[in-house]
Amino acid sequence: MARGLMKRTVCAKSIFELWGHGRSSGELYASLKSYPVDKMLPYLQSDSTYKINIHTFNKTLTQAEKIKKIDALEFLPFNGKVNLKNPEHVFWILEDYGMDPNNVPEEPIDLYFGRWIADGQRELIESYSVKKRHFIGNTSMDACLSFIMANHGRVKPNDVVFDPFVGTGGLLISSAHFGAYVCGTDIDYNTIHGLGKASRKNQKWRGPDENIRANLRQYGLEKYYLDALVSDSSKTIWRKGMLFDVIITDPPYGIREATRRTGSQKETVKSAERSTENHIFISSSYHLSDIFFDLLKFAAEYLVMGGRLVYWLPIYRPEYTEEIIPRHPCLKLISNCEQMLSSQTSRRLITMEKVKEFKSCLYRGEIGNGSSSAGTMMWARSSLCKLSQEITA
C-alpha cells in the first residue's frame, strides 16, 4: 500500500518504516533498542545485503562525521554484507536541524532511523516542467499542481477525463500520464488551434505545431488524446447521459485570462475577434459566479456515479467562509485545500464526488447550505470583484 501511494504522489520525497526516533543520539539509540527484534530480523539476515545513508536537513555533514554516526549503530544486529551499489535493503538516518539557515544548532532537533520503502514521484515535476513544454499559454498550470489535481480526481488507467476550460491542455497531460483518455473544450479558437501571439518570451507568434496534441506527443502520451473542441462551457454540446469519469479544470478568473461566453448582438458585447482563418464569434461577459454554478451543474449531469470534479476557486480571504463554496445536491464535498497567493487572496482546490443521480431541480436554490441563489450570487459578485481589484493592484 505504501509503495502504491508513492507511485502517485508528487508531494512526498520518500517513505520509511520507522524503527527509532529521538531528540538526541541517546534517545534515538534507546528507541532503536526497544524496537521489536522480530520486526528487524527479516532485513538483517546473513544472506542479505544492505547500506546505510544519512540525510540532514538544514546542515551539511563531512564524510568523517557521517561515518562516525553510522559506526555508532554497531549495536544493531546487522548480519548481512554491505553493498553500496545494489543493496537489497537501504536504511536511513534522518537528522533535522530546524528551519532557520542563519541559526543552525550544533545538534539536531530530531533524529530518525528507518528502513527505506519507496520514493515519491518528485522527478515528474522537473520532467513535465512548463519551462520545457512545447505549447504553453499565459496561465498554463504548474506541473506539480497538475499532478496533485489528477490525484485528487483519482485518475486511473482507461478513465475519460474532461477539462471544460482546457486552454493549452496542461491538466490533460498529468491525467494522460496515469493512463486516462483526455479531452477538453475552450471558447478561445486561437488557443485550441495554436494560432496567434505566443506566450513564450522572445517569441512573437506561435509556431505551426504548437497545440495540445503536440504537447502530449512530446511526452509520449499522444495515444491518450481524444480531442479538443471550440465550445462555450455555458452551452453544453454533449448528448444526455454520463460521459466522464473525472472533470478537472482551472476556470478563468478574469485576471490573466478573460471570462467570456458566446452571446448575441443584443447582449453587452465584450469583444469581436477574427482569427487567421476568418473565424468570427461574438462574446459577452461571463461572471465568475455563473462559471462555477454552471460547472457544478455540468458535473452533476455528465459525471459517472462516483466520478470526481476537481477545480480551483479564487477567494478574497478577509470574507472567506466555507459556506460560500458552491454546492450541488448531487455532489459531495471531499476536500478543500488552500493555496496562498497574497495576504488578501488565495485560491482553493475543491474536490467533489458525484453521489446522486442527476435530476432536473432548482439547482441554484439548493447551494450554499440552503441559502438563496440571489444572496449567494450577490456575495460571489462582491467578493470576486474585490479579489480582482486586489490581484490587479
Side-chain angles (χ1 to χ4, degrees):
M1 290 176 65
R3 290 190 182 98
L5 175 66
M6 299 305 284
K7 284 181 180 178
R8 293 290 300 243
T9 182
V10 293
C11 294
K13 185 175 181 180
S14 303
I15 190 168
F16 305 88
E17 180 184 65
L18 186 64
W19 285 16
H21 165 244
R23 294 188 175 275
S24 66
S25 297
E27 284 188 16
L28 175 63
Y29 301 153
S31 178
L32 283 170
K33 290 174 181 177
S34 66
Y35 190 75
V37 177
D38 59 316
K39 292 186 177 182
M40 292 186 181
L41 288 180
Y43 312 103
L44 308 178
Q45 298 297 322
S46 58
D47 59 348
S48 65
T49 59
Y50 73 96
K51 77 170 180 178
I52 300 176
N53 290 327
I54 296 181
H55 176 75
T56 56
F57 183 77
N58 200 28
K59 187 174 183 177
T60 302
L61 300 180
T62 65
Q63 189 64 23
E65 289 173 323
K66 291 181 179 180
I67 293 173
K68 183 179 179 181
K69 290 177 181 289
I70 293 174
D71 289 342
L73 298 173
E74 61 183 4
F75 62 86
L76 291 175
F78 286 106
N79 296 316
K81 295 181 179 180
V82 173
N83 185 332
L84 300 180
K85 291 186 176 181
N86 189 29
E88 292 179 55
H89 310 297
V90 181
F91 301 91
W92 283 79
I93 301 170
L94 307 174
E95 296 186 346
D96 182 4
Y97 287 85
M99 301 287 287
D100 186 358
N102 299 315
N103 186 24
V104 181
E106 285 295 321
E107 297 297 325
I109 300 171
D110 283 288
L111 300 92
Y112 307 86
F113 181 86
R115 181 174 66 91
W116 174 83
I117 304 296
D119 288 334
Q121 304 301 310
R122 297 286 293 175
E123 74 278 358
L124 294 179
I125 299 173
E126 179 62 25
S127 57
Y128 283 89
S129 172
V130 175
K131 295 178 182 178
K132 302 176 183 178
R133 193 168 297 167
H134 185 66
F135 176 48
I136 62 170
N138 292 335
T139 56
S140 292
M141 182 64 67
D142 171 78
C144 180
L145 295 178
S146 296
F147 280 100
I148 289 173
M149 294 179 75
N151 283 332
H152 274 240
R154 292 184 173 178
V155 174
K156 60 185 183 299
N158 298 320
D159 277 352
V160 176
V161 177
F162 176 67
D163 182 354
F165 304 96
V166 70
T168 56
L171 298 180
L172 302 186
I173 293 172
S174 56
S175 296
H177 172 83
F178 291 126
Y181 293 95
V182 295
C183 57
T185 60
D186 201 286
I187 196 172
D188 193 326
Y189 179 93
N190 286 346
T191 299
I192 289 292
H193 292 278
L195 304 172
K197 292 184 178 180
S199 299
R200 207 179 299 275
K201 187 178 180 181
N202 299 325
Q203 181 182 341
K204 189 172 182 180
W205 302 100
R206 288 182 172 133
D209 192 35
E210 288 193 46
N211 51 59
I212 297 173
R213 182 187 291 274
N215 275 352
L216 290 160
R217 186 186 304 123
Q218 177 183 350
Y219 301 112
L221 303 172
E222 187 177 3
K223 65 180 180 180
Y224 297 113
Y225 179 61
L226 297 178
D227 208 347
L229 312 174
V230 179
S231 172
D232 179 0
S233 63
S234 70
K235 297 177 173 61
T236 182
I237 60 173
W238 305 99
R239 63 174 173 81
K240 298 296 181 181
M242 299 177 291
L243 299 176
F244 308 115
D245 298 287
V246 187
I247 297 173
I248 298 179
T249 193
D250 180 30
Y253 310 148
I255 308 301
R256 298 177 68 188
E257 292 290 352
T259 56
R260 53 186 177 158
R261 58 182 168 185
T262 54
S264 68
Q265 295 284 7
K266 295 180 181 180
E267 297 174 334
T268 303
V269 175
K270 182 177 181 181
S271 65
E273 301 182 5
R274 181 184 298 268
S275 78
T276 55
E277 297 185 9
N278 296 322
H279 176 83
I280 301 173
F281 69 88
I282 303 298
S283 64
S284 61
S285 61
Y286 190 14
H287 199 276
L288 267 177
S289 55
D290 296 325
I291 290 176
F292 292 111
F293 291 136
D294 290 342
L295 176 62
L296 264 66
K297 181 176 182 295
F298 179 86
E301 184 170 3
Y302 289 98
L303 276 175
V304 301
M305 284 297 295
R308 288 195 169 189
L309 166 67
V310 184
Y311 68 96
W312 288 101
L313 178 71
I315 290 297
Y316 181 63
R317 299 187 74 239
E319 295 187 1
Y320 170 75
T321 63
E322 191 165 319
E323 285 69 29
I324 62 91
I325 301 297
R327 305 296 178 99
H328 190 283
C330 296
L331 302 173
K332 176 184 177 182
L333 181 65
I334 300 297
S335 68
N336 174 3
C337 310
E338 184 180 30
Q339 183 192 24
M340 292 279 292
L341 301 177
S342 73
S343 61
Q344 299 289 308
T345 62
S346 68
R347 60 179 180 176
R348 307 192 78 94
L349 182 60
I350 308 297
T351 304
M352 310 184 87
E353 186 172 305
K354 184 173 178 178
V355 294
K356 294 180 181 179
E357 295 289 351
F358 177 79
K359 295 179 181 179
S360 297
C361 58
L362 189 58
Y363 162 62
R364 291 186 177 177
E366 298 184 1
I367 66 171
N369 295 332
S371 63
S372 69
S373 61
T376 305
M377 291 283 284
M378 186 180 298
W379 177 90
R381 291 182 188 277
S382 173
S383 180
L384 292 171
C385 179
K386 292 178 182 178
L387 172 75
S388 300
Q389 292 171 354
E390 176 68 21
I391 295 178
T392 303

